[in-house]
Amino acid sequence: MEKISKPPVIKDSRYRYDCFENNEVLFGKKGRLPAMGWNSWNAFGSGNTQKLTETMAEKIVELGLDKLGYQYIVLDDGCYGAKRVDGHLTSDEVKFPDGFMHMSDFIHDRGLKFGMYNDIGSRLCSGLEVGTCGYEETDAQDYIKWKIDYIKVDNCYNVWDNATFSNPENARYTFAPDIKKIRISSSKSESSFNIELNAVSDGCITGRRAFTEDDHVTGLGTFDGTGPDATPIGEQGSTLVFKVNVPEAGEYQLTVYASPGRAEGCGEWLQVAVGEGEEAEYFYDDLLVYSDEPCKEGENTFKESSPVIIYLQAGENTLRLMNHRRQENTLLSYAKIQESLKEAAPDNDIVFSICEWGKTQPQNWGYKVGDSWRILNDITFQVGSDGDSGHASWEGAYTTSVTAQYNKAVIMDEFAGLSRGWNDPDMLMIGMNGLTEVMNRTHMTMWCMLNSPIMLGMDLRNVNAGDEVHRIISNTDIIALNQDSLGIQAKRIYTTKAVEPDKTYLRDNDRIDVLAKPLADGSLALSFINVSMGDRPDEVSVNLELIRTYLEEKMEKPEKFFNAKSYEIKNLWTKEVTKIDGAVIRDEGFKSVPLAACDNLTIKVTPDHMERSCV
């Protein structure tokens, strides 16, 4: 593979940050509901084998899970040989002695679908030097040959970002240098036009990432979303904007007084554009070059850049200095794989699972190339092995818990949908050590209400028909929420924390949330969730007006729902069905009961006949 010294030139404006909000899908099939299946990672980590996978596929059928929608059997990291052979991926000869074609045939022969794994970086997360970077076309042809139906693509050893296991200095590509001031002068020798603008007093910072520090602006880039600290709501990347007035249209020289770095928040790559949105014209997109010697590492000395030629119109211009390459580079990497798959087989119908752990805020761009996108780092780092179920947690300080993932996903509903794809808070941990039956039940409820991919992660040899785990993962009423054809992620319409429920990022679990999910038949699913690890005596209720405020425009036949003569209420876990007069609901709302720690009350509300209007 030819060694590349820096990120590729962006020749197509559709991959620019400015186009993230245009709703244009570049690759992939939309209208697809969340994928359901089994993935090898939580159960076996890198220790998965051909024999184990064959057993899991047979258990899916034996348990009747295939009839409930669990289709995909996915080989995660650990299945490949340590080195490529003549540029091609191979199976690990010990773990998968019969190769991937055999694995594909075995799974397909049982009416299931076959999924595989790779990484946009130079290596896989396990460290094997077989990442798809630079081999996209070759790998795509092999994946098509192996008849894959699903591919999960990770983000370790990302060549152009300080992703997991990557060189931390790669942040040089994803942040702009610190900027103190700029100078704009006419490129015409006879003109005396020359202005100097201060970054702090004359510039305007957009977005939440950048800030002023003493006499300069720093942090011109995009938040790292790998961990749970930053909210997914709001503009994740920052731009330094100047309003520049010039007397006449023409070429001008832009000089930047900057201090480069190679760490999160301060880099070496600068983008310069004039104008905003899809009409913006880019004049520079590269490592910034200086007229003198570059600053020494850690020197924090501001130096004058070499002139950048820009074109300005007479009058006021919007000049933007930024670095949105963290998102653009990652989008380009995933798009290259999709492009190669389409070239290898134009009619392929492969589910494309983006697994970059929310690092580059894929809720902004993932819909363009993927069917789902991970929102955080792994839900557990204590994966199982043959004979060990691994460990799961309800609460955790980082991403490794049910609630860490849920707390972020629950306010991301507006990023998801049939026309876009799905937020992915990682694989289910049901069946792993550390979670009780109640926790498992609520975990399943959360993921189904959130329209997350339902990828089982347990060792299915430990599951028997009718046992506790099987009852949870085979609850057809709960699964139906996830697979409802309307394809709307539940919205949090109330929380006992008394904040804006659908937008406020909450990490304090001492609360009850109420999620509401419109369904295709005109009904509504309501889930009252005790997020905390303590019992809650609260008797929470939500009324019709609250539901109308948040969801009326998303509902099927809302007039029938809100004016129903009566409502059928079905508890989706106990299966109990009751009927309540519409007047009572309009007066008292839908009520929960006191909830035990980590428990939920999830109901389907179906309207009866509409009330007749008086004439």
Side-chain angles (χ1 to χ4, degrees):
M1 180 179 69
E2 180 184 355
K3 184 174 177 61
I4 306 171
S5 60
K6 58 185 177 182
V9 175
I10 299 178
K11 299 177 180 178
D12 189 336
S13 63
R14 295 180 301 167
Y15 295 96
R16 291 282 187 198
Y17 172 83
D18 298 320
C19 292
F20 285 0
E21 295 183 1
N22 68 5
N23 296 316
E24 181 185 1
V25 175
L26 302 176
F27 296 99
K29 175 184 176 183
K30 295 305 171 181
R32 198 196 307 270
L33 289 166
M36 296 178 64
W38 177 87
N39 179 290
S40 65
W41 185 253
N42 282 359
F44 306 122
S46 293
N48 187 36
T49 65
Q50 175 178 310
K51 184 176 180 180
L52 286 171
T53 305
E54 289 173 350
T55 301
M56 297 304 111
E58 289 176 331
K59 284 290 289 189
I60 287 281
V61 176
E62 175 193 321
L63 295 168
L65 297 175
D66 56 326
K67 303 295 193 297
L68 303 180
Y70 294 94
Q71 302 179 73
Y72 299 96
I73 305 295
V74 182
L75 307 182
D76 210 291
D77 201 353
C79 61
Y80 295 112
K83 298 285 185 180
R84 290 177 177 267
V85 176
D86 297 327
H88 291 268
L89 298 166
T90 62
S91 66
D92 184 297
E93 294 181 354
V94 174
K95 298 177 188 174
F96 292 86
D98 294 327
F100 295 135
M101 195 67 249
H102 162 82
M103 200 76 264
S104 178
D105 288 341
F106 186 95
I107 290 168
H108 287 137
D109 287 347
R110 282 146 185 80
L112 301 171
K113 296 183 178 180
F114 179 46
M116 294 193 71
Y117 165 94
N118 210 304
D119 192 293
I120 63 171
S122 58
R123 304 183 182 204
L124 310 183
C125 294
S126 61
L128 298 184
E129 297 180 26
V130 295
T132 199
C133 181
Y135 294 95
E136 292 89 352
E137 294 178 3
T138 299
D139 290 351
Q141 291 167 7
D142 286 339
Y143 288 134
I144 296 299
K145 180 181 69 176
W146 295 326
K147 300 179 182 178
I148 70 167
D149 306 290
Y150 179 110
I151 187 166
K152 171 185 173 181
V153 187
D154 226 324
N155 187 39
C156 292
Y157 297 99
N158 188 321
V159 182
W160 310 124
D161 199 355
N162 56 334
T164 298
F165 309 128
S166 294
N167 185 344
E169 291 189 356
N170 286 349
R172 67 185 295 214
Y173 301 113
T174 58
F175 282 88
D178 291 348
I179 297 176
K180 181 180 290 187
K181 60 183 177 179
I182 64 171
R183 185 176 68 241
I184 299 171
S185 55
S186 175
S187 59
K188 299 178 181 179
S189 58
E190 66 275 12
S191 173
S192 60
F193 181 83
N194 187 76
I195 59 170
E196 195 168 273
L197 299 174
N198 183 280
V200 174
S201 58
D202 298 316
C204 174
I205 298 172
T206 68
R208 299 167 39 251
R209 180 62 184 86
F211 56 95
T212 59
E213 190 173 80
D214 299 327
D215 60 351
H216 62 273
V217 170
T218 188
L220 287 169
T222 301
F223 274 115
D224 184 336
T226 306
D229 296 327
T231 175
I233 304 298
E235 191 174 352
Q236 303 297 321
S238 286
T239 300
L240 179 59
V241 181
F242 294 93
K243 296 297 183 180
V244 180
N245 280 281
V246 296
E248 60 180 332
E251 286 188 353
Y252 289 82
Q253 291 185 343
L254 167 68
T255 303
V256 183
Y257 292 82
S259 178
R262 296 188 177 188
E264 189 77 11
C266 179
E268 299 180 356
W269 192 282
L270 183 67
Q271 295 176 312
V272 177
V274 175
E276 297 180 283
E278 296 186 48
E279 303 304 316
E281 186 173 1
Y282 281 68
F283 293 97
Y284 195 83
D285 189 5
D286 207 334
L287 296 169
L288 189 60
V289 177
Y290 295 85
S291 56
D292 199 351
E293 288 296 318
C295 306
K296 295 180 181 178
E297 186 175 346
E299 190 177 24
N300 196 31
T301 300
F302 288 85
K303 295 198 174 185
E304 181 179 305
S305 74
S306 297
V308 174
I309 302 300
I310 61 176
Y311 187 91
L312 301 175
Q313 298 290 339
E316 185 177 83
N317 296 262
T318 299
L319 175 65
R320 299 159 62 210
L321 276 63
M322 56 206 168
N323 186 346
H324 294 298
R325 277 290 196 149
R326 168 165 277 168
Q327 292 182 305
E328 293 169 345
N329 289 343
T330 311
L331 169 58
L332 281 168
S333 295
Y334 282 104
K336 178 63 176 175
I337 299 171
Q338 279 282 44
E339 182 181 85
S340 299
L341 287 169
K342 291 298 181 185
E343 288 177 355
D347 297 326
N348 83 68
D349 190 25
I350 298 169
V351 174
F352 196 84
S353 171
I354 294 171
C355 181
E356 54 78 89
W357 344 294
K359 184 178 184 68
T360 67
Q361 312 295 338
Q363 69 271 17
N364 299 145
W365 57 264
Y367 76 93
K368 291 183 172 293
V369 293
D371 293 293
S372 63
W373 43 88
R374 283 274 298 278
I375 65 166
L376 280 173
N377 211 319
D378 291 4
I379 195 170
T380 179
F381 295 135
Q382 295 176 277
V383 299
S385 60
D386 191 359
D388 176 10
S389 295
H391 188 81
S393 299
W394 180 259
E395 290 186 330
Y398 192 55
T399 67
T400 53
S401 69
V402 172
T403 54
Q405 300 280 339
Y406 164 79
N407 286 340
K408 189 172 182 181
V410 76
I411 57 171
M412 297 178 69
D413 57 290
E414 294 297 339
F415 298 112
L418 286 171
S419 64
R420 294 176 65 86
W422 310 108
N423 300 303
D424 182 1
D426 206 1
M427 294 165 283
L428 290 167
M429 298 191 292
I430 296 168
M432 300 179 73
N433 295 324
L435 298 183
T436 66
E437 179 180 359
V438 171
M439 292 173 179
N440 283 332
R441 197 166 55 232
T442 301
H443 183 12
M444 182 75 176
T445 300
M446 288 170 165
W447 265 233
C448 286
M449 288 288 283
L450 296 174
N451 272 54
S452 306
I454 303 298
M455 302 301 291
L456 303 175
M458 80 283 280
D459 183 345
L460 290 166
R461 293 174 300 180
N462 299 327
V463 182
N464 295 304
D467 69 10
E468 169 195 315
V469 169
H470 184 253
R471 289 195 303 272
I472 291 171
I473 63 177
S474 65
N475 185 326
T476 54
D477 287 322
I478 295 295
I479 292 171
L481 302 180
N482 183 268
Q483 296 293 298
D484 183 76
S485 61
L486 196 58
I488 294 178
Q489 177 179 324
K491 183 181 286 289
R492 184 169 64 189
I493 63 172
Y494 178 80
T495 174
T496 51
K497 284 298 179 185
V499 295
E500 193 174 12
D502 63 329
K503 293 183 173 61
T504 304
Y505 186 27
L506 294 172
R507 298 175 64 197
D508 179 355
N509 291 336
D510 185 18
R511 67 182 199 271
I512 290 177
D513 288 348
V514 183
L515 277 56
K517 186 181 197 316
L519 303 173
D521 64 0
S523 62
L524 184 81
L526 284 174
S527 191
F528 299 81
I529 299 174
N530 181 2
V531 187
S532 75
M533 296 186 71
D535 296 346
R536 297 278 308 209
D538 317 48
E539 293 188 8
V540 174
S541 67
V542 293
N543 60 38
L544 289 172
E545 284 308 306
L546 185 67
I547 295 169
R548 185 193 298 273
T549 297
Y550 282 102
L551 291 173
E552 182 174 20
E553 294 182 356
K554 296 177 181 288
M555 296 174 68
E556 291 286 286
K557 302 177 182 178
E559 70 287 346
K560 180 176 180 179
F561 184 88
F562 292 113
N563 298 300
K565 183 177 180 180
S566 63
Y567 295 89
E568 180 184 276
I569 312 295
K570 182 177 183 180
N571 185 314
L572 300 187
W573 284 107
T574 68
K575 309 303 180 182
E576 178 186 6
V577 178
T578 57
K579 200 168 189 177
I580 302 179
D581 188 270
V584 174
I585 293 298
R586 278 182 278 280
D587 182 46
E588 300 179 5
F590 300 100
K591 294 182 177 181
S592 75
V593 295
L595 292 170
C598 313
D599 206 353
N600 76 98
L601 168 65
T602 300
I603 59 177
K604 181 179 179 181
V605 181
T606 304
D608 199 349
H609 304 292
M610 289 177 59
E611 289 186 341
R612 295 171 183 245
S613 301
C614 296
V615 286

